Amino acid sequence: MILDIVGRFASDVPEPPGSMYIRPTHVGTEPAIGKAAAPTATSLQYILLSPVGDYFSGGDTTLRLLLEENGARCAAHMGMIKSGGNYASALNPIMRAKQDVKADQVLFCPNGDVQETGAANFLLIDGDEVITKALDESFLHGVTRDSILTLARDMGMKVSERELTVEELLERAAKPGCEAALSGTAAVLTPVGTLIHNGQDYKVGNGGVGATTVKLRQALNAIQWGQAEDKHGWLTKV
Ligand SMILES: Cc1ncc(COP(=O)(O)O)c(C=O)c1O
């Protein structure tokens, strides 16, 4: 279905850095009350396409993230599923964080476990090491996360997929040269400059855009835009 629809609307794909966002969607359609507690017997699957601009304004902009240790983005067993309800349950803490501490996003860290934001994965870049939570069912397994980790390995960096606590994050982030970033289809790799914890701002490194973040972002964009060799077979011709 994806190949078919993208092929049909290929001439509407914007020039880079714009892109065509592809959103496969699956909804239950059984016309019965009471389906809140039982699965639907019929469903409809469709693919939404939407031309989008460049989400990343570039320049010196970095994100401010509120570290949320008490709430979770969604129910623990639902994190790896791309379900609409997960986004709804994250909206209230995100709106509060924007209003109360001028955060751009919330980094959900239930009981100190650094997971992800409302719509992107989180990576800590400390020198030549990338640290991010190992895959489990509590968070979304982003394809961009996977691509960036692969590119980091290709560049000879060490990739550590493991538990990261808020305590370790704040300790490492304070070091000069440390970087943090959000990965996602829309975000690609967007630098994080400030972490907000218990009412206090903590700069990540010098608070600016990190060189490694830019390098990894450019490497992924170059493959997506056909400017670099697609060594891993990520591109599909339609
Ligand atoms: C909750 C959440 N985490 C992570 C991601 C990043 O995933 P991907 O890189 O596949 O876009 C997304 C993107 O949609 C998301 O909504």
Side-chain angles (χ1 to χ4, degrees):
M1 288 172 74
I2 292 172
L3 293 180
D4 177 57
I5 195 79
V6 172
R8 264 200 273 164
F9 289 92
S11 62
D12 290 307
V13 177
E15 289 299 314
S19 57
M20 184 69 93
Y21 201 90
I22 306 166
R23 162 67 55 232
T25 313
H26 193 199
V27 293
T29 52
E30 197 180 332
I33 289 285
K35 282 294 157 187
T40 180
T42 57
S43 68
L44 170 69
Q45 183 169 311
Y46 56 94
I47 313 292
L48 287 169
L49 287 190
S50 175
V52 291
D54 186 10
Y55 265 66
F56 181 70
S57 51
D60 295 333
T61 334
T62 56
L63 299 178
R64 286 168 61 78
L65 298 190
L66 173 66
L67 306 186
E68 170 59 68
E69 288 188 81
N70 297 317
R73 175 180 163 255
C74 59
H77 65 290
M78 287 291 285
M80 69 179 282
I81 298 163
K82 204 165 184 88
S83 160
N86 289 351
Y87 294 88
S89 72
L91 280 181
N92 193 285
I94 294 169
M95 285 191 312
R96 266 192 281 120
K98 286 184 176 174
Q99 196 171 31
D100 297 350
V101 293
K102 300 204 168 3
D104 296 297
Q105 283 294 334
V106 172
L107 179 56
F108 291 95
C109 314
N111 302 313
D113 175 33
V114 178
Q115 295 186 338
E116 63 177 334
T117 64
N121 293 120
F122 178 80
L123 309 176
L124 183 67
I125 304 169
D126 188 356
D128 70 350
E129 183 179 10
V130 184
I131 305 167
T132 193
K133 186 170 169 63
L135 298 179
D136 67 16
E137 63 181 15
S138 70
F139 73 105
L140 204 83
H141 303 175
V143 68
T144 317
R145 170 191 178 281
D146 191 56
S147 305
I148 292 288
L149 296 186
T150 302
L151 293 174
R153 284 190 198 98
D154 288 352
M155 290 175 185
M157 296 180 73
K158 179 176 170 197
V159 172
S160 302
E161 291 179 80
R162 61 165 171 83
E163 298 309 295
L164 174 66
T165 63
V166 166
E167 197 185 344
E168 183 187 352
L169 169 60
L170 291 174
E171 201 181 292
R172 285 197 184 239
K175 290 199 289 185
C178 196
E179 301 176 27
L182 297 187
S183 75
T185 299
V188 188
L189 196 62
T190 300
V192 173
T194 307
L195 303 173
I196 310 159
H197 185 243
N198 290 341
Q200 225 183 305
D201 280 13
Y202 296 87
K203 273 190 183 155
V204 181
N206 66 5
V209 178
T212 307
T213 303
V214 172
K215 191 169 75 172
L216 287 166
R217 180 192 172 86
Q218 285 174 345
L220 182 56
N221 275 155
I223 297 170
Q224 291 171 326
W225 299 344
Q227 297 164 350
E229 190 193 344
D230 174 28
K231 282 189 213 152
H232 300 282
W234 290 336
L235 304 186
T236 303
K237 214 163 173 55
V238 292

